[in-house]
Amino acid sequence: MKIAVVEDEVAIADFLERGLNAEGYEVRVAADGLTGERAALDPDVDLLVLDRMLPGADGDAVLASVRAARPGLPVIMLTARSEVADRVEGLDRGATDYLTKPFAFDELLARIRARLREQAGASETVLAVGDLRLNLLTREANRGSLSIRLPEREAGLLAHLMRNAGRVCTRKEILASAWGYDHDPGTNVVQVYAGYLRRKLGLPGAPLPLETVRGVGYRLRAEG
Amino acid sequence: MKIAVVEDEVAIADFLERGLNAEGYEVRVAADGLTGERAALDPDVDLLVLDRMLPGADGDAVLASVRAARPGLPVIMLTARSEVADRVEGLDRGATDYLTKPFAFDELLARIRARLREQAGASETVLAVGDLRLNLLTREANRGSLSIRLPEREAGLLAHLMRNAGRVCTRKEILASAWGYDHDPGTNVVQVYAGYLRRKLGLPGAPLPLETVRGVGYRLRAEG
DNA sequence: GCCGGGAGTGAGAGAGCTCTCATCTTCGCT
DNA sequence: AGCGAAGATGAGAGCTCTCTCACTCCCGGC
């Protein structure tokens, strides 16, 4: 389990990192909004602990852009602003939970566990990358005015690419994730299915931003 | 949106009911653990607000049985016990959120909105009824040692029956929910698929508890 | 510009899914 | 018990999905 911590006060950031590490979580710390945003978009990150007051882009801005890219990511806001109105505002802006400083570390841990537990049971159902959306339950894909139901394999491939948008995915890795193959059985299925996706999700003048990386695999460009 | 409130103090229960109604929620109030449990199992209920200290079965017991039957239902615990240890325990027992009395009604509303928003995006992925489990994402059904991947239609039918376990479902209603038909086109598909489910999910000596209601439809008995 | 290797495409085989229809079974009533 | 209606079951047609294979296209190096 990997947690991103966005917090500018070094003392608190250190404290959180050490404490979370001790609980067995992998931690990625960012001290300002911009690096925080980048950290939260790392597809391995399962949860975000976010200070609301930050230098550079402030916490609310980070929250907004994280929500746009990963609608389902749990975000626990952490802040010195303790008024009821602040809490209401934080939650309504899309935070999953809200904790005011000073806080009990044990409670933070319990709330992290609660969020991760929920996440595990009700794993992310809707993926979004740029203007692309994919509902994993109905396997409905949307892009602009397009709306198509994808067959299972195509949806699985697209889901993997979307979860790793911006990164190059090797064919081997894709076969493992979307096909469940442990070894490449020397086939070109991935290419075939990449072709299906391009044809189905291409718009006139705006082809699917799926790049081929010769000899390696594919990359879905992040901003549609 | 329907919210179940389990609270024995009449004053608070009334206050919550009126306040939630004013926000446009449908509310179902229960004053003790047993009726509370029944209320929470109503498949129309989208969220549970639960007092931890109750006459009869206490809040923790209600939480446990609700979790067994509806793993994904958001549960906000509400209680006078305000120690950090209590909050940690409540969350670890499976509560989704935890609010201590006295609380700001606006904050409760914000937390309810946060939970419902999340629920809407990441709708329940795993259904459970008795010893039956169904993962809607993978369409994997489990019963005892059995574990089978169901085709889409069978999973859709089973999902509808599970979501309405204990109640009789008419064939017309089932056709609407699992097939997307608006009118019964005079077919026996539902019977055919009910048969598939019975065969696939029957155990020696313990057939699938799916009862036929002559002239009407089917009912999945609630406790396997 | 030509050549080699990798990627994209089209056709099609085989499997599994969905539905219909005919037949068999069961239930409830007399 | 016997009958009629309703549900269960078996067989199978048609379709979609998935994958393979052969072929074409394109990129990059000479």
Side-chain angles (χ1 to χ4, degrees):
Chain A
M1 285 293 142
K2 191 164 174 184
I3 298 178
V5 173
V6 183
E7 165 68 73
D8 60 315
E9 293 178 57
V10 180
I12 299 186
D14 273 12
F15 168 64
L16 287 173
E17 181 170 18
R18 262 198 297 274
L20 292 172
N21 271 326
E23 288 290 314
Y25 297 111
E26 201 180 330
V27 178
R28 178 165 174 181
V29 179
D32 65 284
L34 222 66
T35 46
E37 221 166 279
R38 215 163 323 125
L41 297 184
D42 173 351
D44 287 348
V45 162
D46 302 298
L47 185 143
L48 174 64
V49 175
L50 175 64
D51 189 3
R52 194 156 175 203
M53 285 181 294
L54 292 170
D58 86 333
D60 291 338
V62 175
L63 179 57
S65 71
V66 167
R67 271 285 161 272
R70 299 190 56 183
L73 184 77
V75 176
I76 301 184
M77 266 204 162
L78 205 63
T79 144
R81 292 158 68 175
S82 64
E83 298 297 309
V84 168
D86 289 327
R87 274 179 278 180
V88 170
E89 199 195 334
L91 290 167
D92 281 344
R93 279 176 187 273
T96 317
D97 205 340
Y98 200 103
L99 214 53
T100 53
K101 299 179 191 171
F103 59 92
F105 189 67
D106 283 347
E107 179 170 1
L108 175 62
L109 285 177
R111 289 188 180 270
I112 286 174
R113 281 194 294 273
R115 292 291 81 76
L116 289 177
R117 183 200 320 136
E118 202 165 84
Q119 192 68 358
S123 37
E124 233 160 343
T125 331
V126 177
L127 302 176
V129 169
D131 59 354
L132 249 181
R133 306 197 116 240
L134 174 65
N135 183 325
L136 296 173
L137 228 87
T138 60
R139 300 205 307 270
E140 194 171 277
N142 299 92
R143 184 161 181 244
S145 54
L146 263 182
S147 181
I148 320 170
R149 262 209 95 213
L150 297 178
E152 199 165 0
R153 276 287 193 281
E154 296 173 27
L157 167 59
L158 182 58
H160 182 83
L161 292 168
M162 288 178 78
R163 280 200 255 258
N164 296 282
R167 221 198 70 207
V168 177
C169 303
T170 66
R171 272 197 298 277
K172 197 167 176 222
E173 166 201 330
I174 291 172
L175 278 168
S177 151
W179 272 260
Y181 291 175
D182 359 2
H183 299 303
D184 186 337
T187 169
N188 74 334
V189 249
V190 179
Q191 284 99 317
V192 172
Y193 276 80
Y196 293 161
L197 286 182
R198 287 207 250 246
R199 268 178 274 179
K200 288 192 182 179
L201 294 171
L203 294 173
L208 187 68
L210 177 59
E211 295 167 356
T212 304
V213 181
R214 273 200 145 220
V216 184
Y218 297 88
R219 168 173 51 210
L220 187 66
R221 244 182 303 118
E223 357 65 66
Chain B
M1 286 291 145
K2 192 165 173 182
I3 297 177
V5 173
V6 183
E7 166 67 71
D8 61 314
E9 293 178 56
V10 181
I12 299 185
D14 273 12
F15 168 62
L16 287 174
E17 182 171 18
R18 263 198 296 272
L20 293 172
N21 270 327
E23 288 291 313
Y25 298 112
E26 202 180 330
V27 178
R28 179 166 173 178
V29 180
D32 65 284
L34 222 66
T35 44
E37 220 166 279
R38 215 163 322 124
L41 297 184
D42 172 351
D44 287 347
V45 162
D46 301 297
L47 184 144
L48 174 64
V49 174
L50 176 64
D51 189 2
R52 193 157 175 199
M53 286 181 293
L54 292 169
D58 87 334
D60 291 338
V62 175
L63 179 57
S65 70
V66 167
R67 271 284 162 272
R70 300 189 56 182
L73 184 76
V75 176
I76 300 184
M77 267 203 162
L78 206 60
T79 144
R81 293 159 66 176
S82 64
E83 298 297 310
V84 168
D86 290 325
R87 274 179 279 179
V88 171
E89 199 195 336
L91 290 167
D92 281 344
R93 280 175 186 274
T96 316
D97 204 340
Y98 199 102
L99 215 51
T100 52
K101 299 181 193 172
F103 59 93
F105 189 66
D106 283 346
E107 179 170 0
L108 176 62
L109 284 178
R111 288 187 181 270
I112 286 175
R113 281 193 294 272
R115 294 290 82 75
L116 290 177
R117 184 201 319 138
E118 201 164 84
Q119 190 70 359
S123 38
E124 232 161 341
T125 332
V126 177
L127 302 175
V129 169
D131 58 354
L132 249 181
R133 306 197 117 242
L134 174 64
N135 184 324
L136 295 173
L137 224 74
T138 59
R139 301 203 307 269
E140 193 170 278
N142 297 296
R143 184 163 180 242
S145 53
L146 264 182
S147 181
I148 320 171
R149 261 210 98 211
L150 296 177
E152 199 167 358
R153 276 287 193 281
E154 296 174 26
L157 168 58
L158 183 58
H160 183 83
L161 292 167
M162 288 177 78
R163 280 200 254 257
N164 296 283
R167 220 198 71 205
V168 177
C169 302
T170 66
R171 270 195 300 276
K172 198 169 173 217
E173 166 200 331
I174 291 172
L175 277 169
S177 150
W179 271 261
Y181 291 177
D182 356 5
H183 300 303
D184 185 337
T187 170
N188 74 335
V189 249
V190 179
Q191 284 100 316
V192 172
Y193 276 81
Y196 293 159
L197 286 182
R198 287 207 251 247
R199 268 178 274 179
K200 288 193 181 178
L201 294 171
L203 295 172
L208 186 69
L210 178 60
E211 296 167 356
T212 304
V213 180
R214 273 201 144 222
V216 184
Y218 296 88
R219 167 172 50 213
L220 187 66
R221 243 182 302 117
E223 357 66 65

